[in-house]
Amino acid sequence: MEPVWKKLYDAAKAVQNQRKISDYVEAGGVAAAIQSESGKIYTGVCVDTASTLGICAERNAIFQMLTNGEHRITRVLALMSDGKTGAPCGACRELMVQLDPQRYRDIQIMLDYEREKITTLGELTPEWWIK
């Protein structure tokens, strides 16, 4: 496995801090780290709310990347509350596709860090609904 995956894992782990913010909001159950085309790593945590106002960790990290003037993603790692990694949800996948519709298929996704199982967004999202 390439050393960058450990950097992504460690970056996500560093911001993951599951906590109750109020009776209606929790944060940090899931943390994500994404690597942009420049090689910079951006992180984010999920924010879960009693309504639909929450945000996934992956999109939070993507918004950090966008805020810093970048828009191309090369790698994504999502760290669940149990310490395992997993695939981004459909909403996160859709945002990644819309950001870079010509190149999204090449974005690498860490599915299982312990087993070093990596896939691509193209394998997870083989047919995009907009042609």
Side-chain angles (χ1 to χ4, degrees):
M1 181 166 53
E2 294 177 68
V4 68
W5 289 110
K6 177 157 178 25
K7 289 180 183 179
L8 288 163
Y9 184 92
D10 290 345
K13 187 76 172 161
V15 297
Q16 188 176 41
N17 176 19
Q18 190 166 2
R19 60 209 176 273
K20 182 176 180 176
I21 306 300
S22 75
D23 288 341
Y24 308 101
V25 178
E26 293 182 0
V30 176
I34 62 170
Q35 183 184 38
S36 67
E37 186 175 56
S38 74
K40 187 167 181 185
I41 294 173
Y42 297 93
T43 59
V45 298
C46 69
V47 178
D48 297 310
T49 69
S51 65
T52 60
L53 299 176
I55 188 76
C56 295
E58 298 93 327
R59 280 183 283 149
N60 194 340
I62 290 167
F63 297 152
Q64 294 295 323
M65 178 189 68
L66 293 171
T67 298
N68 283 279
E70 296 194 71
H71 69 277
R72 289 213 166 113
I73 302 165
T74 58
R75 292 179 179 84
V76 178
L77 181 143
L79 184 60
M80 308 306 161
S81 59
D82 64 1
K84 297 192 182 295
T85 55
C89 74
C92 293
R93 293 178 201 184
E94 179 64 26
L95 177 59
M96 288 187 273
V97 171
Q98 288 188 29
L99 284 173
D100 203 354
Q102 275 66 42
R103 298 174 18 167
Y104 80 90
R105 287 180 175 84
D106 298 328
I107 296 172
Q108 295 181 351
I109 309 286
M110 176 56 73
L111 289 181
D112 188 330
Y113 185 79
E114 292 173 357
R115 294 189 174 132
E116 300 183 9
K117 184 174 182 182
I118 300 163
T119 191
T120 63
L121 188 56
E123 290 171 346
L124 292 177
T125 311
E127 294 296 325
W128 190 37
W129 64 278
I130 295 178
K131 298 289 177 184

